[in-house]
């Protein structure tokens, strides 16, 4: 009975989203490049997990989608909105990393015939974390979680891979451990648009789920990418490049300096986690939700790193 009730609620929520699919925010930010801007919020049943930026690139013969959203309902709304923009076949579904707000919508694209693409570490990350995600996000998503199924990539990227959409090539690059251990970026050279995934946060405080020092190093490497605009994983749909990196770099540098100082002073992890990077507090949304986690992860990493 409980399962039936959950399923009924999931269907009702999906119908609600489907009815509003025509209003699903999917804007063309450059010729053939579409972006949906997620909310600056935590994943909830009310927002259908719609907190990450999603994208699509349309070539002469095919389409690539970049991330699919935080629920099957959002993924279906995204697919419906995209099909109103183009009738070309969907050839690739690219996941920029393993986090639920970027991959839970995959199930909506399973029967499109598209190839799922991700970092070489993504299958391992899905196997290790996926069951926990499905369990732990039930409280936030309620019956929406019932429709979610984890879909591993069938094409993985190690280094740089180029995909052809017909008269339009996109470059996928797999990065060292930074925001996570499976970060992937997508560059559309034709328009000069870089999809950074969660290697770039704007307004939403950056999240360190991989390596603080790796994240800092990757920020410097990202600056060398030749692009005109960037689509961050969270925040405004597009931003100027590479200036968009500045605020994130300042936060990560402040967090690192404060943690190094706390470790040198012999502070405990608990004390350091609650004091580090507090000067950045007013600059970011969701600071209270993530800064202590970032500081805790950074402390453990830096404690064993020679300054």
């Amino acid at each position: 009975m409980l399962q039936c009730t959950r399923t009924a609620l999931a269907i009702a929520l999906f119908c609600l989203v489907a009815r509003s699919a025509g209003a699903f925010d999917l804007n063309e930010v450059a010729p053939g490049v579409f972006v949906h801007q997620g909310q600056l919020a935590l994943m909830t049943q009310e927002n259908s997990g719609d907190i990450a930026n999603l994208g699509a690139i349309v070539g002469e013969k095919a389409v690539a989608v970049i991330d699919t959203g935080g629920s099957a309902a959002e993924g279906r709304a995204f697919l419906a909105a995209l099909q109103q923009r183009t009738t070309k076949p969907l050839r690739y579904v690219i996941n920029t990393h393993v986090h639920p707000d970027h991959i839970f919508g995959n199930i909506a694209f399973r029967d499109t015939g598209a190839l799922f693409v991700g970092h070489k570490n993504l299958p391992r990350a899905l196997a290790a974390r996926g069951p926990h995600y499905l369990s732990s996000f039930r409280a936030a998503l309620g019956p929406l979680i019932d429709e979610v199924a984890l879909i591993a990539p069938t094409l993985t990227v190690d280094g740089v891979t180029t995909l052809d959409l017909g008269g339009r090539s996109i470059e996928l690059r797999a990065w060292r451990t930074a925001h996570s251990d499976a970060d992937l970026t997508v560059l559309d050279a034709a328009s000069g648009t870089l999809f950074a995934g969660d290697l770039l946060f704007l307004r939403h405080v950056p999240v360190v789920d991989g390596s603080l020092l790796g994240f800092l190093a990757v920020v410097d490497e990202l600056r060398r990418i030749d692009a005109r605009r960037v689509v961050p994983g969270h925040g405004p749909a597009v931003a100027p490049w590479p200036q968009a990196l500045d605020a994130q770099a300042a936060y990560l540098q402040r967090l690192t300096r404060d943690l190094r100082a706390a470790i040198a002073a012999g502070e405990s992890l608990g004390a350091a986690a609650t004091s580090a990077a507090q000067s950045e507090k007013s600059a970011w949304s969701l600071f209270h939700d993530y800064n202590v986690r970032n500081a805790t992860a950074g402390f453990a990493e830096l404690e064993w790193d020679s300054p």
Side-chain angles (χ1 to χ4, degrees), residues 43-76:
M43 291 174 67
T44 66
Q45 183 174 324
E46 289 70 26
N47 63 29
S48 299
D50 180 5
I51 67 167
N53 293 340
L54 316 177
I57 301 173
V58 180
E60 293 177 1
K61 296 183 179 179
V63 181
V65 158
I66 299 134
D67 288 332
T68 58
S71 67
E74 187 190 1
R76 288 190 180 100

Side-chain angles (χ1 to χ4, degrees), residues 28-49:
E28 190 169 17
V29 300
V33 180
F34 297 89
V35 177
H36 169 73
Q37 181 177 331
Q39 300 177 28
L40 285 177
L42 301 177
M43 291 174 67
T44 66
Q45 183 174 324
E46 289 70 26
N47 63 29
S48 299

Side-chain angles (χ1 to χ4, degrees), residues 24 36 38 42-45 47-54 67-76 78 95 99-109 133-134 137-138 140-149 234:
F24 187 82
H36 169 73
L42 301 177
M43 291 174 67
T44 66
Q45 183 174 324
N47 63 29
S48 299
D50 180 5
I51 67 167
N53 293 340
L54 316 177
D67 288 332
T68 58
S71 67
E74 187 190 1
R76 288 190 180 100
F78 180 21
N95 288 144
H99 289 157
D101 50 326
H102 297 259
I103 67 165
F104 272 7
N106 278 1
I107 187 66
F109 296 83
Y133 286 155
L134 293 176
F137 275 86
R138 177 168 294 283
L141 293 178
L144 289 178
I145 202 74
D146 292 340
E147 291 191 295
V148 174
H234 297 268

Side-chain angles (χ1 to χ4, degrees), residues 118-188:
H119 191 289
K120 67 179 177 62
N121 292 339
L122 185 56
R124 183 183 66 192
L126 276 170
R129 295 178 173 215
H132 171 68
Y133 286 155
L134 293 176
S135 172
S136 63
F137 275 86
R138 177 168 294 283
L141 293 178
L144 289 178
I145 202 74
D146 292 340
E147 291 191 295
V148 174
L150 302 174
I151 300 177
T154 48
L155 174 62
T156 59
V157 179
D158 182 3
V160 176
T161 293
T162 299
L163 301 179
D164 180 18
L165 302 179
R168 188 170 204 161
S169 296
I170 55 176
E171 182 183 279
L172 279 58
R173 179 170 176 176
W175 295 84
R176 71 174 84 175
T177 300
H179 160 70
S180 73
D181 65 354
D183 296 311
L184 195 71
T185 56
V186 181
L187 176 64
D188 173 46

